[in-house]
Amino acid sequence: MSKKVAFLQGNEAAAHGALYAGCNFFAGYPITPSTEVSEVLSAELPKTGGKFLQMEDEIAAMAAILGASLTGAKVLTSTSGPGLSLKQELIGYGCIAEIPCVVYNVMRGGPSTGMPTGPSQSDVMCAKWGTHGDHPAICLVPASVQETYDEVIRAFNLSEKYRTPVMVMPDEIVAHMRERIVFPEPGEVAVTPRKTPTVPPEQYKPYDTSFGDVPPLAAFGSGYKFHVTGLNKMADGFPTTKADIVQAEEERQVRKVDANIDDIVTFEEYLLDDADVVVVAYGSTSRSARYAVNVAREQGIKAGMFRIKTFWPFPDKQIKALAGKVKGIVIPEMNLGMCSLELERCAQGKVPVLGIFRVDGEPINPDQILAKIKEVK
Amino acid sequence: MAFDYDKWLRPGKLPHIWCPGCGHGIVMKGLIRAMETLQLKKEETAVVSGIGCASRLPGYIDCCTLHTAHGRAAAFATGVKMAKPEMNVILVGGDGDGTAIGGNHFIHACRRNIDMTYIIMNNYIYGMTGGQFSPCTPTGHKASTTPYGNPDPGFDIAKLAIGAGATFVARGTAFHANQIDKLIVEAIQHKGFSVVEILDDCPTTYGRRNKYKSVIEMMNRLKEVAVPVKAAEKMTAEQLQGKVLTGVLYKEVKPEYIEEYAKVIERAKAAK
Ligand SMILES: Cc1ncc(C[n+]2csc(CCOP(=O)(O)OP(=O)(O)O)c2C)c(N)n1
Ligand code: SF4
Ligand SMILES: [Mg+2]
């Protein structure tokens, strides 16, 4: 049997990826350029008894998915720039209370209302530093329609595996372009179930680290009763200010991700084996970068591309290794230099990091990247 | 036999954080009696709050409890109830939490008419943060941020709830402690979004700034201003000056949201 194919927009693919992953609850607030996710799910979710809610604002949408997730639902919200800013306090709530959820954010021009229909990659720092306090961050940056579908599924899986919010952040170009997509068969892609308690209700503690860094999470209404708070908490979920417990809990929350970087971080290496120049790119910008690398090769320049698929945690190890091998790193991005900061941190001054920063609502074209590749001496 | 509150309290979580004389504990006892009257199942009852002294209440109750972020209880609760309609969902919180930062969620929860009950403890002040004025602080009164008297007009929470579409709205006071559980019972039994405003007191941050000499004086004031709706019918506008109506203020049968959404599901399945 041949697989089902379709010609879809990135946002539509995201919605279908969520359904494949078992999403049965969505809450959102309309905002360009992400609204198609809401539109598809408002039609699809009720067909299988799922719930679609259009809330009064993005804060409410974030709150609703966290509440629903605590009952065992698999939850998604989608938004863009201004909405992401509004969600931030509760993304932090999801981190500290350790509630699985997926936040899909289409990057448009900012700050503030910025350029609602223009592409951008300027939310990548917001994905890690947007909410206050130390916390884990996972952020995936797909570069095609197919990858948006696949990465939304992976985001659900990671959020369940690590019991933490996961962000998927396509730029507006990826979110709105149409491409062919091949749907996996049911069961073909693994879907990670939530780790639920094996102990009887009387013994259950929602943050019991004797089960590891990711303790099982019971569902409200499943016979377990427990307390959830946004305050620093103890194993039983109740607030504490005891210094040693707070320190240990904060460290564990961050360690859930930091100790599993190799499991989470994904990337693509393109013509890197003999490369003198590496273009590091992500999202739609990587499509121009691939073209530029091909042209550079035709012209006898040993260029390659490292494509970031997981922006957070950042692929430190891989970039550090590349920095020891190449003569220069080129980073095209639709912001005024965000990924480039991370690259400079990883390159530790060993090689120059040359940026192409564009925030005028136009994509970065291959010519710009090729010219920068040629600047590397 | 004395009422067994302990049955509903989480072992080991007392003493509570509330000051002596704070009205929030009276409201908690009322809620507990209501849950006992209705024989709610602890595992199937979620108590959801925001942030504030009032919002600390869920931590003491032996149910599924969710202490969210400031103002956001109604939005979290909406997620809980929509995802698990078979649960009883009770929201609790303060006047600041519910009508300032959470005002938007409050009115939209009223409008949707999801079958949940919201108990709002109105002590006219931001107690937890030390007594800044809230949207319910009466005009002219003193708060830590209105040292010359409050220039803002206050909200009438019950009217706000009725205007926004809540289908059951009641008001009680911490003085009339025996009435609280009855109002809550009726609110929980009501199909739709029910709001119970309980006027209570914050001696620590509001009372002392507004020349109340004691908690008893604050309680006596609640006693004096409260007029049951029935009694009010026989009173003149002049007699009602400065009074606050108590009891069930509004009740209406309107389509409940989860039932309406079930119809959406049916239509979607039919359209498949
Ligand atoms: C986003 C946010 N803003 C402000 C605060 C600070 N804050 C905590 S409680 C509170 C006021 C609570 O007042 P109310 O809801 O009336 O409850 P009370 O303490 O009077 O019972 C404020 C302003 C906060 N926790 N979070
Ligand atoms: S500060 Fe006021 S509201 Fe808070 S516990 Fe004390 S008396 Fe109650
Ligand atoms: Mg208050």
Side-chain angles (χ1 to χ4, degrees), chain B residues 16-24 52-54 123 125-131 200-206:
Chain B
H16 56 66
I17 64 153
W18 298 315
C19 308
C22 176
H24 297 342
C53 297
N123 58 6
I125 202 81
Y126 288 152
M128 176 155 269
T129 41
D200 68 357
D201 65 315
C202 171
T204 308
T205 78
Y206 177 77

Side-chain angles (χ1 to χ4, degrees), chain A residues 89, chain B residues 24 51-55 70 72 93-98 101 121 123 125-129 132 134:
Chain A
E89 185 198 5
Chain B
H24 297 342
I51 296 287
C53 297
S55 292
H70 195 27
R72 314 300 171 200
D95 51 318
D97 185 77
I101 193 164
M121 288 162 253
N123 58 6
I125 202 81
Y126 288 152
M128 176 155 269
T129 41
Q132 300 74 33
S134 89

